[in-house]
Amino acid sequence: MVYVLIVFTIVGLMDLGDLIKANKNKELKVTIFLMIVAFILSTLYVLDYRLPSIMLALDKFVRDVLGLGYE
Amino acid sequence: MKIDKGKISGIQFMFTVACFLQSSSLLTSFFTSITKQDSWIVTILGFIVSIPSLLIYTYIMKIFPDKNLVEVNDIVFGPIIGKLFSIVYLWFFMTLSSLNIKDLGDFVHKTTMQKTPAIIILGIFMLLCAWAVRNGIEVVTRYSMFFTLIAIFIVISTSFLTMNQMKIDNFLPMLNQPRMIYIQGAHIISTIPFGEVMVFLMIHPNLEIEPKQRRKYYTYGFIIGGLTLLTIVIRDTAVLGNTIKIFALPPFETLRLISIYSGLSRIEVLFAVSLIMLMFFKICILYYVTVMSIAYIFNLKSFKSLVISVGIIIIMYSFSIYPSIIVHMNSASKTAPFQWFMFETILPFITIIVAKIRKLPKLKKGMI
């Protein structure tokens, strides 16, 4: 968890500083949003929580609902 | 308005497309396990079947020469539905990025660095990709010609070195499998290596060549990549025969058999080198396209600040995408072709139909 915080601190210093200085508000908001998503996913990984697979859900939908797929 | 003002030449674009396709040619087991000794036939069939998709992409490039896929969606479908389409494509690009980096990470982790955690391997690799992506399309595609020519050299030289192991009997029996096998194989190849070139619809506005010439370079790159794939499949089938179906990495196994005068062996390291080199290139392209999609969806003026966060998301997504390689291979051969067909053929085709109905792109006032 410490490594996650260190990595995101470095990323924040690298990316956010220039955006704040240049007054790029839109880019700043999108970057912060993406950083939050990345931070949440990283934290879940460190805590050994595996997210459910979207691809498996899509496979099930294609195979069972749409009836498509090879045997 | 272009976010990345970098320009690439027609030749660079051609080698970029070729290199992109060549990287998939090293992971042929998802169809060779099904089509076995007839894999070379379905490769040719798959190439022919993917030509209509290629024509769709080149037509979109022709009618919207200065607009990438996200901008085209906004023009054709309007701001709201266009953004929805673009988000769907974004998910597709991000999934492709994650799948490819997972494949590479699994290969390195299982063959050379068993004790190194996968996160470290992927993290270091993505750091290098992030550096390339941050510097724009010119840097991402700069070494395309070099990588393509090295890959071609490796394929040709290893084909000569394995000639003493090749048997014409390994191609027999020919065409005696159920018809559905050939349909399945052609479908897989037309969507998984060949159909993925639709990502270049995000890059084509950065070409410094005339719109009329783009189809030529795109097609040549497609042919070079296709021929490389065909050569590798023919070589592997001639050497391994029916056993090709049991190997996870048939080209790797083929190269392991090379041994000349007991002094020249362990050639399979060339496979590892070319795999990492080509996969690096492909992942850079997919990573770049993912970042640019996000930038254009949100109408941003710059993309550099997004790169590292998107890279971390891609890595984390790759850990949850499939629980194992077996599940991945199973999905790639049975259901993924149908899913990818929607993104690679149906959606672009719908875009053309709607553009035609709405008579887009509209000419500006004063233009004849």
Side-chain angles (χ1 to χ4, degrees):
Chain A
M1 193 64 200
V2 175
Y3 295 119
V4 172
L5 290 169
I6 291 171
V7 164
F8 278 89
T9 306
I10 295 171
V11 170
L13 288 170
M14 275 175 64
D15 288 338
L16 299 181
D18 293 334
L19 292 176
I20 294 169
K21 277 184 210 163
N23 216 18
K24 289 181 178 174
N25 291 325
K26 207 182 204 179
E27 282 79 3
L28 186 67
K29 285 176 193 164
V30 175
T31 306
I32 289 173
F33 170 71
L34 289 173
M35 279 183 68
I36 291 170
V37 172
F39 182 77
I40 291 170
L41 292 175
S42 306
T43 308
L44 289 172
Y45 176 79
V46 163
L47 297 173
D48 232 2
Y49 180 80
R50 294 288 175 262
L51 290 167
S53 169
I54 299 173
M55 286 303 295
L56 287 181
L58 198 54
D59 281 352
K60 212 172 157 59
F61 175 75
V62 167
R63 205 177 44 244
D64 298 339
V65 175
L66 298 180
L68 298 169
Y70 295 105
E71 292 300 319
Chain B
M1 191 201 65
K2 278 208 196 67
I3 297 173
D4 182 3
K5 293 180 174 55
K7 286 285 181 197
I8 56 175
S9 65
I11 295 284
Q12 217 170 341
F13 181 59
M14 181 183 81
F15 282 114
T16 300
V17 174
C19 199
F20 189 87
L21 282 173
Q22 283 173 339
S23 60
S24 302
S25 62
L26 295 169
L27 301 169
T28 53
S29 58
F30 51 88
F31 63 91
T32 55
S33 56
I34 298 160
T35 49
K36 302 169 208 150
Q37 71 275 9
D38 289 330
S39 297
W40 66 279
I41 298 172
V42 295
T43 304
I44 295 170
L45 279 173
F47 182 85
I48 294 168
V49 163
S50 56
I51 288 172
S53 298
L54 185 69
L55 291 173
I56 290 172
Y57 309 148
T58 52
Y59 186 72
I60 292 176
M61 283 184 186
K62 183 181 149 193
I63 58 174
F64 296 103
D66 299 325
K67 305 290 178 197
N68 63 36
L69 192 58
V70 173
E71 292 173 307
V72 167
N73 286 336
D74 281 347
I75 293 169
V76 171
F77 299 108
I80 297 171
I81 299 178
K83 288 277 186 279
L84 286 173
F85 267 67
S86 298
I87 289 169
V88 167
Y89 278 119
L90 169 63
W91 176 83
F92 176 60
F93 298 146
M94 193 173 282
T95 304
L96 281 182
S97 309
S98 297
L99 285 169
N100 280 280
I101 195 153
K102 185 176 169 54
D103 285 339
L104 180 68
D106 284 341
F107 172 76
V108 173
H109 182 58
K110 285 180 173 36
T111 57
T112 53
M113 295 184 173
Q114 288 100 345
K115 292 188 180 170
T116 307
I119 185 85
I120 302 293
I121 298 168
L122 296 187
I124 291 171
F125 191 80
M126 282 303 262
L127 211 55
L128 187 59
C129 292
W131 173 81
V133 169
R134 269 179 86 104
N135 284 288
I137 188 65
E138 280 185 30
V139 172
V140 169
T141 58
R142 184 167 292 161
Y143 287 97
S144 57
M145 184 162 121
F146 179 66
F147 289 161
T148 303
L149 294 176
I150 289 199
I152 291 173
F153 172 74
I154 289 174
V155 168
I156 293 174
S157 57
T158 52
S159 299
F160 278 113
L161 291 172
T162 50
M163 266 183 157
N164 59 345
Q165 312 263 1
M166 292 182 184
K167 292 183 190 130
I168 199 77
D169 291 346
N170 282 340
F171 289 99
L172 302 173
M174 210 182 284
L175 293 170
N176 81 326
Q177 298 184 71
R179 203 181 306 149
M180 192 46 75
I181 294 290
Y182 299 97
I183 294 172
Q184 183 180 358
H187 191 185
I188 293 170
I189 295 172
S190 66
T191 51
I192 291 179
F194 291 133
E196 288 175 357
V197 296
M198 66 90 61
V199 303
F200 291 102
L201 289 175
M202 286 297 298
I203 291 173
H204 80 98
N206 293 86
L207 291 173
E208 60 182 11
I209 51 174
E210 293 288 319
K212 287 177 193 169
Q213 292 184 311
R214 289 178 191 178
R215 172 184 276 186
K216 179 175 82 170
Y217 289 104
Y218 199 18
T219 308
Y220 288 165
F222 195 75
I223 291 171
I224 293 170
L227 285 174
T228 310
L229 175 62
L230 183 63
T231 308
I232 289 173
V233 170
I234 290 175
R235 181 198 67 194
D236 293 345
T237 307
V239 172
L240 301 172
N242 218 353
T243 57
I244 199 171
K245 68 182 178 209
I246 61 174
F247 295 118
L249 296 166
F252 187 71
E253 298 304 323
T254 302
L255 268 59
R256 283 178 74 175
L257 295 172
I258 296 174
S259 179
I260 299 167
Y261 299 121
S262 74
L264 189 65
S265 61
R266 298 283 188 192
I267 304 288
E268 66 268 20
V269 72
L270 285 180
F271 174 80
V273 166
S274 60
L275 179 74
I276 289 170
M277 180 181 74
L278 294 172
M279 289 294 277
F280 162 74
F281 188 83
K282 185 177 182 184
I283 290 164
C284 277
I285 294 283
L286 291 168
Y287 187 1
Y288 175 81
V289 160
T290 306
V291 169
M292 294 310 282
S293 300
I294 295 173
Y296 275 99
I297 286 171
F298 288 102
N299 293 322
L300 303 180
K301 292 194 179 96
S302 73
F303 66 96
K304 292 185 188 204
S305 59
L306 311 175
V307 172
I308 296 179
S309 303
V310 171
I312 295 171
I313 293 171
I314 288 173
I315 293 174
M316 293 303 139
Y317 184 26
S318 73
F319 287 122
S320 68
I321 204 161
Y322 283 114
S324 69
I325 296 174
I326 304 294
V327 174
H328 180 189
M329 298 271 294
N330 196 45
S331 172
S333 56
K334 292 185 181 159
T335 49
F338 293 98
Q339 298 162 15
W340 281 187
F341 183 70
M342 191 195 78
F343 294 103
E344 293 166 2
T345 306
I346 294 177
L347 289 183
F349 186 64
I350 291 173
T351 304
I352 290 177
I353 297 293
V354 174
K356 279 280 189 201
I357 292 169
R358 294 186 62 194
K359 294 187 175 64
L360 292 167
K362 286 191 173 31
L363 294 173
K364 291 182 186 159
K365 278 184 186 172
M367 285 177 76
I368 299 167

